[in-house]
Amino acid sequence: MEKGEPIIRLEHVDAGYPGAVILHDVSFAVARGEIFILLGGSGCGKSTVMKHMTGLNPILAGRLTVAGREWSVQTRAELCRQIGVMYQSGALFGSMTCLENVRLPLDEFSDLSKAARRARALELLRDVELEDAADKMPSEISGGMRKRVAIARAMALDPSVVFLDEPSAGLDPITSAALDDLILRLRAEKGMTFVVVTHELPSVFKIGDRAAMFDRARHGLVALGAPQALRDTSEDPFVRKFFSRGEYHGQ
Amino acid sequence: MRGLVSLFAFLGESACCAVSALVRPREFRFGDAALAFQRAAFDGLPVTIGVGFLLGVILAFQSAAALQTFGVEVYVADLLAIALFRELGPIITAIILAGRTGSAFAAEIGTMKVDEELDALTTMGLPPVRFLVLPRVTAAAFAMPILTVFAEIAGLVGGALVLETMRVPPAAYWQHVTASSDAPMILFGLAKGLGFGLLVGLIGCAAGMQTRATADGVGHAATSAVVGSIVAIAVADGLLAVLCNIWGA
């Protein structure tokens, strides 16, 4: 698949849970190699969309394809080789060291020898500048470091797309900016596609190639495009208010 | 109704994972099971022995008071052996396991759910039931018979000490214990313990898997694990008693 081709496509998707549609008729595509932002206020459904895209929850209506194939016909094993996910808290396993956390997907799914798996996990930790923390437990490292270990784990099986759920949440501005730099570097070095759920505007403008913006009040996608373009040219009152950090209640 | 459906779905998935692990043992996480077993069995030994000992002391005192009237307090040994091996040993051990281990399973898995670790496992293609539930349930099931043996021995020792204060010779006491108990009875009690361990493990893990991401979610999961386990143990024991009565066992 060439750079720029859609790797994930949503067509007229209803997002939510059985009996509770949160977003109606959502359509967009994520191109290979881009950093795509799912943007919106708290509770607007951006994490729900991410859960659909990562295969955690089935979509309520519409069509969702990953690498050209319908999401619903792919097995979990197929999906997990195509996507990696970093959750908001990092979601590292507390009973394992950082190295073991990163090595886990390799242990389960790769045919590499034990030594090769360890070497690969160390290489991934080196990519996120945490080789020194390999033998530490998640409780012994900071929140920002946990997120970087989680990114390393998400990349373990060389997925096509890495999802990042609120990477800046709970981090100070310096750590958050360092994480943004890491995402940009990984994209530049490895050509990875990132889908980032966030509402942190500095991050959005720094790393985002395109953004899909959701509005809870209108239950849908209200803007799609480059973040700077949305900020400068959108005439949608919600989009303008959001980028000017104003209050908006869907009135 | 939805809870019942998800409980059956959980039981079905657990059964499938267990069968799959039997067919492909490599899938079973022996290290996690060993760690859970250590916490359930070895770390639980002191409290199990302590409670078993006190149970024996209390039972001996209460029954000896009545039997002393007829000068047959040595039969306390028979009463203790039958009660501990058939019923009280497995039940009291299962209740302790529910309080210690079942609640811990629910809290561990519940916290992992709140921290999105279960979602992380799922998106990595690792079923949480295989990864988290199977090792814990196996550990609880195999810990129970071991803990039960220790509780029963401690109870009998407690009874022996009480009867010694009533001038019943230890030799006579142990003779009555061995005379009134046989291998099938002891094995039946241990098998019951294994079943109760399965129940405690499954209910604890199910409560953890159904934890809600709220402030009191994990606490609620731990509570429902203990309460659910105790109710299930009582119901299962009652059913077994009825079945044994029907079969004349």
Side-chain angles (χ1 to χ4, degrees):
Chain A
M1 192 176 275
E2 293 297 315
K3 187 175 179 181
E5 279 182 38
I7 190 159
I8 297 181
R9 189 189 288 277
L10 286 82
E11 293 170 88
H12 309 291
V13 164
D14 280 358
Y17 303 91
V21 178
I22 297 172
L23 296 167
H24 275 297
D25 197 23
V26 174
S27 297
F28 62 82
V30 178
R32 193 176 184 82
E34 78 172 335
I35 298 179
F36 191 90
I37 310 282
L38 300 178
L39 189 61
S42 301
C44 72
K46 52 190 188 297
S47 291
T48 307
V49 171
M50 193 193 91
K51 283 187 175 179
H52 291 315
M53 293 169 83
T54 55
L56 268 181
N57 294 337
I59 54 173
L60 303 179
R63 189 161 181 261
L64 170 56
T65 52
V66 178
R69 287 183 67 212
E70 193 91 32
W71 169 87
S72 55
V73 301
Q74 301 199 37
T75 64
R76 170 54 61 190
E78 285 173 323
L79 267 181
C80 77
R81 280 177 174 75
Q82 296 180 54
I83 60 166
V85 187
M86 185 217 80
Y87 287 91
Q88 194 170 336
S89 62
L92 299 180
F93 303 113
S95 58
M96 299 177 181
T97 63
C98 294
L99 182 76
E100 287 166 343
N101 265 285
V102 176
R103 212 183 59 197
L104 180 63
L106 299 166
D107 289 344
E108 293 288 333
F109 294 110
S110 81
D111 297 325
L112 299 171
S113 67
K114 194 173 179 183
R117 294 198 301 268
R118 182 183 159 80
R120 169 77 180 132
L122 280 171
E123 182 190 327
L124 287 159
L125 282 173
R126 202 176 305 128
D127 284 342
V128 296
E129 296 161 10
L130 278 177
E131 199 181 3
D132 294 345
D135 295 324
K136 290 189 173 164
M137 303 303 282
S139 58
E140 296 172 330
I141 60 176
S142 69
M145 291 163 85
R146 276 200 287 274
K147 292 192 180 197
R148 280 153 63 193
V149 175
I151 291 176
R153 186 178 67 184
M155 298 190 308
L157 295 175
D158 279 327
S160 311
V161 190
V162 174
F163 289 83
L164 308 175
D165 188 9
E166 308 267 9
S168 307
L171 300 183
D172 64 79
I174 295 171
T175 311
S176 176
L179 205 58
D180 290 342
D181 292 336
L182 173 68
I183 294 166
L184 288 171
R185 181 168 63 75
L186 290 173
R187 194 264 294 267
E189 288 175 1
K190 298 179 182 292
M192 277 188 156
T193 309
F194 285 94
V195 176
V196 184
V197 175
T198 187
H199 50 219
E200 294 290 328
L201 292 182
S203 284
V204 172
F205 291 122
K206 186 171 178 181
I207 65 173
D209 295 319
R210 287 192 308 138
M213 192 168 201
F214 304 100
D215 181 11
R216 184 170 58 174
R218 284 180 280 175
H219 297 285
L221 178 69
V222 292
L224 182 65
Q228 289 82 357
L230 292 179
R231 180 192 60 193
D232 299 337
T233 61
S234 176
E235 293 186 359
D236 186 282
F238 172 73
V239 177
R240 294 184 74 85
K241 287 272 186 185
F242 191 93
F243 281 115
S244 62
R245 295 174 182 270
E247 293 296 320
Y248 176 80
H249 302 290
Q251 301 297 315
Chain B
M1 187 63 190
R2 191 182 292 173
L4 207 62
V5 170
S6 58
L7 180 67
F8 278 112
F10 168 80
L11 290 175
E13 196 182 347
S14 302
C16 289
C17 282
V19 171
S20 177
L22 282 174
V23 177
R24 289 182 291 272
R26 193 176 167 269
E27 281 187 3
F28 186 72
R29 297 186 63 84
F30 287 98
D32 291 347
L35 187 66
F37 180 81
Q38 183 207 314
R39 288 179 183 163
F42 298 124
D43 296 354
L45 262 183
V47 69
T48 309
I49 290 172
V51 172
F53 177 80
L54 289 174
L55 185 73
V57 168
I58 293 163
L59 268 179
F61 263 126
Q62 296 300 319
S63 48
L67 294 175
Q68 234 176 353
T69 317
F70 307 104
V72 289
E73 57 267 34
V74 72
Y75 284 100
V76 168
D78 302 67
L79 184 150
L80 272 178
I82 293 168
L84 285 170
F85 287 136
R86 281 189 75 109
E87 291 292 336
L88 291 178
I91 285 185
I92 205 72
T93 310
I95 290 172
I96 294 168
L97 191 81
R100 279 191 79 257
T101 307
S103 60
F105 287 174
E108 282 167 10
I109 296 177
T111 307
M112 292 178 81
K113 185 171 184 188
V114 173
D115 286 344
E116 299 177 306
E117 289 174 40
L118 301 194
D119 286 350
L121 281 174
T122 307
T123 48
M124 279 194 280
L126 306 172
V129 168
R130 172 167 82 79
F131 201 82
L132 301 172
V133 174
L134 212 53
R136 284 171 170 79
V137 172
T138 308
F142 284 101
M144 258 301 290
I146 293 170
L147 289 171
T148 304
V149 167
F150 278 93
E152 289 167 352
I153 292 170
L156 291 174
V157 170
L161 290 178
V162 170
L163 286 202
E164 202 163 353
T165 64
M166 295 174 181
R167 299 206 175 111
V168 174
Y173 174 85
W174 290 110
Q175 194 184 0
H176 273 262
V177 166
T178 48
S180 59
S181 48
D182 54 21
M185 186 172 80
I186 294 171
L187 288 176
F188 175 70
L190 295 183
K192 209 153 77 164
L194 191 123
F196 290 166
L198 267 178
L199 277 178
V200 170
L202 279 170
I203 291 170
C205 292
M209 299 284 279
Q210 289 171 2
T211 303
R212 291 181 185 167
T214 55
D216 62 348
V218 175
H220 182 75
T223 305
S224 51
V226 177
V227 174
S229 296
I230 291 173
V231 171
I233 290 160
V235 170
D237 196 56
L239 284 174
L240 274 176
V242 172
L243 287 175
C244 287
N245 190 264
I246 291 169
W247 293 332

